[in-house]
Amino acid sequence: MKICFFHLMPYRFLPDDFEERYRSVWVDVPHGLHDAEKTHGLYHEYLDELEYAEQVGFDGLCVNEHHNNAYGLMPSPNLMAAALTRRTSRAALVVLGNSLAAYNPPLRVAEEFAMIDVLSRGRLVAGFPVGTSMDMNFAYGINPATLRDRYYEAHDLIIQAWTRPEVFAFNGTYTQVRYVNIWPQPLQKPHPPVWIPGGGSVETWEWTAKLDYVYCYLSYYGYKRGKLTMDGFWQAIARLGADDNPYRAGFLQLVCVADTDAEAERLYFPHVHYFYQKCLNVWEGFAEAPGYRTVQSLQAGLRPQIGAQAKKIRQSLTWPRYLEQGYVIAGSPATVRQQLTECIETLRVGHLMVLLQIGSMPKDLALHNTGLFAREVMPHVRDLWSGYKDRWWPAGVTNGDPGAGRPLAPGTPLALGTSPPPGHAS
Amino acid sequence: MTPEDRIVSIREGAVAFRVLSAGRGAPLVYFHSFHERGGWSPFLERLARRHTVHAPLHPGVAGSTGVETLDDVFDLTLAYDELLEALGLTAAHFCGHFFGGMVAAELAAVFPRRAGRLVLVSPLGLWRDEAPSEDILILPPEDLLSVLWSDPGSEAARRWAELPENDAQNVAAQIESIARRAAMAKFIWPIPDRGLTKRLHRIRAPALVLWGDADRVNPVVYAEEWQRCIKGAAVKMLRGGHMLIHEAPEAAARAVEEFLA
């Protein structure tokens, strides 16, 4: 079992009445709400949290890409991954990912990922999302009708740029390059493992399965609702006659650990609520540009995660509802262990990603949650799927897995992150 | 009257247009926009009294196929030229609403000899930073109603807003709406400016620009812009909103007929 620490890097200081006054946290959220001095502090706080996750034994550290977004301050996750290469040395750097169609030419992704792979000595997981409609169609102006075609073509170009021994010409519909020849080449051979974050589109399941990549469902709505999507993926795998190795799959789950169930509510509810009420407040009109999803996927009946309907559901959420729906797995270590095992087993995921810094959660609490998770939960799920081989894991990683960097034994004092750089306000 | 309903293919079937046709008289081709369900309407019914009206559905909409093979607006314009050829029309009057107005103007600019007279109803295709047209491709249904129609309570508006109560039909209607908008979005995303201003001087056809005085989608400043770009174009304002031709089909058809006469 591989367990990765996922960070969204949310802006923690949205006004209390944000969701009443502003229609969307994404795309047209006014940047007058943003204070760069505060974000300076946040970036270092969040990097500290990621570095701490390596220290306490997480297998991987995940960063991702969003644009025009107040809950994701990482338009370039590559910059964060590059920063992490300097102060981590054992964990996988899982960049989930670079939305390929947004890069012109997409060779930029091949180059930057190769740089991170070389810098980190082979610890990169290369995430290739199509990208959300908000990011791609609205924030970056990419035509929904051709987004997927662009994506597939960019993918082909990148893989060729990483694997073909010769300088070659690429004559694509969207990209034409006479001399493809990237320096440096990635350190991992034939190339870093590829993970595909998807939102539940039928085409993505089949494409991912065909190319033998990892499929990751990055949902904010938990394992109970995620089952439909993961089942769809596993059905696509079965249709193609591939094996059902759980490491083909990744899933993101929000988790809050405390000493007791009651303590979990007291500590985490305001931050979880901030996340669902403010961070997921996306205007319905931005939920999905016409043409973003194919008719085939629309007919499969999978609705967008966000929008007016979702807003109504969200607004009625109380702590017991968050738990009951499985949006958040929260409570004492025993409660979390039990539910997380259920999550891992029912979805059949070998790469679990956990979101432990949630919404407005400050650093001390995020570290508390992370430390408790590592000490009290991680060791108990670690051995799930031990009969399977993870063929999608970076060659240079030594954290977590047997042989190196096992999680700290219970009771080991937890070192809090390395000291922040001078001038860092937290 | 029930229009003739047929499929006309070009490019060895790569693009197939569903074309609704009815009426008698000089040929008139009508190009629809985002929010017209089905290809026929009382407005066209009235025009068909004195013209042979052909109303093709854009590729990707309601039975017309092949939008995925069309690269851009130029390719779409060529496809329409090929459709006219297939229909045996050397020339015809063109009329288009919003997106359809843009298509009609492109066609009249790229193939000036094809256009007899040109009627543009609140056309899309020009862009002014200080007066963007409303983003009606993505507006949620409840906001759309009051933006499209000058009187959201009118019978035409209410009929337009109705969705089937039956679940399966309701879902099918939503998917149809998304697919219809997606088919046109391809040619104008993210900003409906494909350099048409540089081509409008090529138009030879006499042109009428028709606008609803309560159009909340396409600011009236664009009417002046169109008039400036197409030499000799007339502008006529009628009472109504963006859906003018559906709110006031009789008045709109009369204005068109007077211009074509």
Side-chain angles (χ1 to χ4, degrees):
Chain A
M1 185 73 215
K2 297 293 197 312
I3 300 163
C4 301
F5 178 92
F6 195 104
H7 219 307
L8 287 168
M9 302 201 173
Y11 192 68
R12 294 209 277 108
F13 310 107
L14 294 173
D16 289 344
D17 60 353
F18 173 76
E19 62 273 37
E20 281 100 57
R21 283 181 59 196
Y22 304 96
R23 70 176 182 177
S24 196
V25 75
W26 209 338
V27 182
D28 66 351
V29 54
H31 53 73
L33 296 174
H34 172 255
D35 177 345
E37 284 291 343
K38 284 193 169 129
T39 299
H40 166 74
L42 285 180
Y43 277 147
H44 290 286
E45 175 179 318
Y46 293 156
L47 285 167
D48 286 350
E49 289 164 14
L50 283 153
E51 290 161 13
Y52 177 70
E54 182 192 75
Q55 289 176 29
V56 296
F58 280 83
D59 298 283
L61 311 174
C62 308
V63 287
N64 81 337
E65 170 181 335
H66 285 307
H67 303 275
N68 303 22
N69 185 320
Y71 81 70
L73 296 171
M74 274 186 286
S76 170
N78 299 2
L79 293 180
M80 289 305 172
L84 288 168
T85 63
R86 293 283 295 172
R87 298 215 296 197
T88 65
S89 58
R90 304 185 304 272
L93 300 176
V94 184
V95 183
L96 281 180
N98 287 186
S99 304
L100 304 184
Y103 297 84
N104 182 18
L107 288 169
R108 184 76 187 187
V109 175
E111 290 172 334
E112 290 192 3
F113 272 177
M115 286 177 71
I116 296 169
D117 198 45
V118 172
L119 264 169
S120 67
R121 205 166 186 280
R123 289 189 285 136
L124 176 75
V125 168
F128 293 158
V130 170
T132 66
S133 191
M134 291 69 86
D135 289 318
M136 293 297 98
N137 306 135
F138 291 103
Y140 264 35
I142 298 177
N143 197 320
T146 49
L147 175 66
R148 269 162 221 279
D149 259 1
R150 266 177 201 280
Y151 168 83
Y152 292 134
E153 182 179 299
H155 161 271
D156 294 348
L157 171 57
I158 291 165
I159 295 295
Q160 288 181 38
W162 280 347
T163 53
R164 285 175 67 168
E166 76 285 9
V167 178
F168 63 93
F170 188 85
N171 181 19
T173 304
Y174 306 99
T175 302
Q176 292 183 312
V177 178
R178 185 68 183 83
Y179 303 98
V180 179
N181 182 26
I182 65 156
W183 281 65
Q185 287 280 318
L187 192 141
Q188 297 183 75
K189 299 297 174 199
H191 58 76
V194 174
W195 294 12
I196 310 296
S201 84
V202 177
E203 296 77 17
T204 305
W205 293 331
E206 290 182 351
W207 184 79
T208 305
K210 259 183 223 149
L211 291 177
D212 198 31
Y213 293 155
V214 170
Y215 177 77
C216 302
Y217 185 36
L218 305 183
S219 167
Y220 303 135
Y221 293 98
Y223 69 106
K224 290 181 185 168
R225 298 233 323 226
K227 188 162 189 326
L228 182 68
T229 297
M230 293 312 295
D231 283 352
F233 169 69
W234 287 118
Q235 283 156 15
I237 287 285
R239 276 199 300 278
L240 286 163
D243 66 61
D244 62 354
N245 186 333
Y247 289 109
R248 290 183 182 281
F251 186 75
L252 174 69
Q253 176 66 51
L254 279 70
V255 179
C256 296
V257 200
D259 292 332
T260 64
D261 291 353
E263 178 78 349
E265 176 172 3
R266 192 184 66 78
L267 288 177
Y268 301 114
F269 177 68
H271 307 298
V272 165
H273 208 56
Y274 180 102
F275 182 72
Y276 284 95
Q277 300 306 315
K278 298 189 199 313
C279 298
L280 299 189
N281 179 45
V282 177
W283 181 55
E284 190 189 350
F286 295 143
E288 203 168 85
Y292 173 76
R293 204 182 293 221
T294 61
V295 169
Q296 190 194 1
S297 275
L298 291 169
Q299 281 164 344
L302 302 172
R303 303 307 305 159
Q305 292 183 355
I306 45 188
Q309 233 182 332
K311 186 168 181 170
K312 275 174 219 142
I313 299 169
R314 277 200 323 271
Q315 281 169 341
S316 63
L317 287 168
T318 57
W319 184 249
R321 291 289 291 164
Y322 283 122
L323 270 48
E324 191 184 295
Q325 300 277 317
Y327 289 7
V328 185
I329 292 178
S332 70
T335 303
V336 172
R337 286 197 288 261
Q338 182 261 320
Q339 285 182 41
L340 204 62
T341 305
E342 188 187 318
C343 159
I344 292 164
E345 287 179 342
T346 57
L347 302 185
R348 202 175 170 79
V349 279
H351 298 112
L352 180 73
M353 289 160 269
V354 286
L355 194 70
L356 296 165
Q357 190 288 332
I358 299 166
S360 52
M361 199 186 284
K363 182 176 172 182
D364 56 345
L365 192 54
L367 295 182
H368 177 71
N369 195 19
T370 306
L372 266 180
F373 183 92
R375 243 186 358 242
E376 303 292 341
V377 179
M378 203 148 65
H380 299 268
V381 292
R382 177 66 86 202
D383 294 331
L384 291 169
W385 314 127
S386 57
Y388 293 89
K389 187 170 156 34
D390 188 351
R391 297 192 287 111
W392 301 270
W393 196 242
V397 173
T398 54
N399 224 29
D401 245 6
R406 294 289 292 179
L408 302 180
T412 308
L414 296 169
L416 296 184
T418 44
S419 8
H424 159 230
S426 58
Chain B
M1 80 189 77
T2 308
E4 182 193 358
D5 187 342
R6 65 192 147 143
I7 299 288
V8 180
S9 295
I10 58 164
R11 303 182 183 180
E12 295 177 331
V15 177
F17 289 93
R18 187 172 155 219
V19 184
L20 304 178
S21 308
R24 274 163 179 250
L28 180 153
V29 182
Y30 174 76
F31 302 91
H32 70 86
S33 189
F34 308 143
H35 294 291
E36 293 170 83
R37 279 192 296 268
W40 201 251
S41 67
F43 170 68
L44 297 182
E45 189 86 24
R46 284 166 172 80
L47 290 181
R49 289 179 306 209
R50 292 187 196 165
H51 292 88
T52 305
V53 176
H54 300 285
L57 289 130
H58 295 300
V61 179
S64 289
T65 57
V67 64
E68 69 285 353
T69 69
L70 298 170
D71 292 335
D72 50 24
V73 166
F74 181 58
D75 205 2
L76 179 69
T77 307
L78 294 183
Y80 272 113
D81 175 63
E82 292 161 45
L83 172 67
L84 296 181
E85 197 66 33
L87 289 172
L89 300 173
T90 317
H93 300 313
F94 297 157
C95 175
H97 178 219
F98 204 46
F99 176 80
M102 180 185 116
V103 172
E106 285 282 1
L107 201 49
V110 178
F111 299 98
R113 286 171 193 85
R114 286 265 189 226
R117 288 184 162 239
L118 182 62
V119 180
L120 306 174
V121 187
S122 188
L124 191 65
L126 307 183
W127 182 261
R128 284 170 59 157
D129 286 340
E130 76 285 3
S133 57
E134 188 64 54
D135 203 352
I136 56 170
L137 265 178
I138 64 157
L139 221 52
E142 57 275 20
D143 302 328
L144 201 51
L145 186 65
S146 60
V147 172
L148 287 182
W149 302 83
S150 63
D151 176 9
S154 69
E155 177 161 358
R158 277 190 285 116
R159 219 174 322 121
W160 174 87
E162 258 172 35
L163 275 175
E165 279 179 25
N166 169 304
D167 273 3
Q169 286 172 1
N170 185 298
V171 168
Q174 287 187 53
I175 291 176
E176 188 279 326
S177 163
I178 295 169
R180 168 165 32 86
R181 286 177 286 131
M184 289 174 263
K186 176 170 188 174
F187 302 102
I188 51 153
W189 193 276
I191 289 181
D193 179 1
R194 291 294 180 275
L196 186 55
T197 41
K198 289 193 289 184
R199 295 185 284 281
L200 288 179
H201 71 275
R202 295 169 50 91
I203 292 178
R204 295 180 182 179
L208 169 69
V209 176
L210 206 55
W211 225 277
D213 61 354
D215 191 329
R216 285 187 279 271
V217 171
N218 209 10
V220 175
V221 292
Y222 284 100
E224 297 153 23
E225 188 89 14
W226 279 95
Q227 197 172 26
R228 200 164 41 243
C229 293
I230 304 178
K231 229 176 160 181
V235 172
K236 191 170 175 86
M237 306 287 289
L238 294 176
R239 289 187 70 84
H242 183 67
M243 295 297 254
L244 176 70
I245 54 177
H246 304 291
E247 288 182 297
E250 187 60 50
R254 211 178 313 121
V256 174
E257 279 172 352
E258 277 168 21
F259 173 70
L260 296 181

